[in-house]
Amino acid sequence: MEMSPRGALNRQRTIQDIESAFLTLYQRDGIDGVSISGICQACGIARSTFYLYFEDKFAVLQGVEDRLLSALWEICRNLPDVMDHTSGTETALSTVTHIRENLEWYRALLSNRGDPMFVYRWKKDIVESLRRKLEQRNVTKLDAEIQGVLFSSALIGLYTHVTMECPDIPDRTLCRYMDDLLARSLRQPITPAQPY
């Protein structure tokens, strides 16, 4: 049976209320301090209502993380030519816009109480996206992987700093830093260490 538009809207509102209550508790207490009863009390629903939408508190977190990473992947999966730094600006601006639109979630996930698996999965997506472009330019698989790891670690470090410490940095300035990180990560191929 198909859900009515009003039923779909109510469902979406309930999910948003649950996620919002989860976020408030998660920011304050970390995942260990989040409880189903706390979520239900904060958004004014019965436990049975919570379980209509989520299996447990981890499912709430997983659902939000999946949604954020999926949005980032949609923005970045078809990166322009990585050596043409001017064409990446729109992708960078779209990424910054997405993060700003979900700033409270990114603050929670990137904080010291955040989920390290979120960062790990995000890095893997960045590495995969960049690796494809580098391999198109005949960069070896290992070099592409390492350059991707360097760039993703630095980029997420930059996002973490901006999100936590200076969220008012202008978008174009942030994009300039992102472009500089990419340029530094791709500056020269990695050469194996020489034996002594």
Side-chain angles (χ1 to χ4, degrees):
M1 185 171 150
E2 198 170 309
M3 187 178 292
S4 71
R6 184 174 182 173
L9 184 60
N10 287 339
R11 175 182 169 76
Q12 188 58 37
R13 280 189 192 142
T14 303
I15 290 171
Q16 288 173 342
D17 289 347
I18 291 169
E19 289 176 348
S20 179
F22 176 94
L23 176 59
T24 299
L25 297 169
Y26 187 66
Q27 286 175 311
R28 189 183 70 206
D29 304 321
I31 193 68
D32 292 336
V34 175
S35 67
I36 305 301
S37 60
I39 293 170
C40 293
Q41 182 180 4
C43 61
I45 61 170
R47 286 177 74 90
S48 58
T49 302
F50 175 90
Y51 288 115
L52 287 174
Y53 300 101
F54 297 100
E55 183 177 314
D56 56 25
K57 66 182 180 180
F58 299 103
V60 179
L61 181 61
Q62 186 71 47
V64 170
E65 289 181 358
D66 289 350
R67 189 171 60 247
L68 294 175
L69 291 171
S70 177
L72 287 169
W73 181 253
E74 282 302 312
I75 293 167
C76 299
R77 72 178 168 164
N78 293 314
L79 286 173
D81 187 330
V82 294
M83 301 306 181
D84 178 10
H85 300 295
T86 59
S87 64
T89 301
E90 287 309 311
T91 301
L93 283 172
S94 295
T95 303
V96 170
T97 299
H98 163 77
I99 290 172
R100 291 197 194 283
E101 288 171 351
N102 297 281
L103 188 59
E104 290 307 309
W105 277 108
Y106 279 96
R107 279 186 176 152
L109 293 167
L110 296 174
S111 75
N112 61 351
R113 294 179 188 220
D115 182 6
M117 282 307 296
F118 175 74
V119 173
Y120 173 77
R121 291 171 60 207
W122 190 4
K123 282 182 183 180
K124 280 186 65 168
D125 285 351
I126 294 170
V127 169
E128 177 61 21
S129 182
L130 190 57
R131 183 187 56 76
R132 290 180 188 176
K133 290 298 179 182
L134 290 172
E135 287 179 353
Q136 289 172 359
R137 293 186 149 274
N138 297 320
V139 173
T140 68
K141 188 173 183 167
L142 177 61
D143 284 354
E145 183 85 13
I146 296 300
Q147 287 173 330
V149 168
L150 291 171
F151 177 63
S152 65
S153 297
L155 184 63
I156 292 174
L158 175 63
Y159 287 143
T160 302
H161 177 73
V162 167
T163 299
M164 301 298 186
E165 303 296 330
C166 51
D168 297 329
I169 188 170
D171 291 356
R172 295 269 178 200
T173 302
L174 182 54
C175 289
R176 193 177 74 243
Y177 289 133
M178 292 163 63
D179 188 56
D180 186 53
L181 281 176
L182 181 61
R184 288 173 189 264
S185 297
L186 305 178
R187 184 158 289 148
Q188 54 186 308
I190 299 164
T191 56
Q194 299 295 321
Y196 290 99

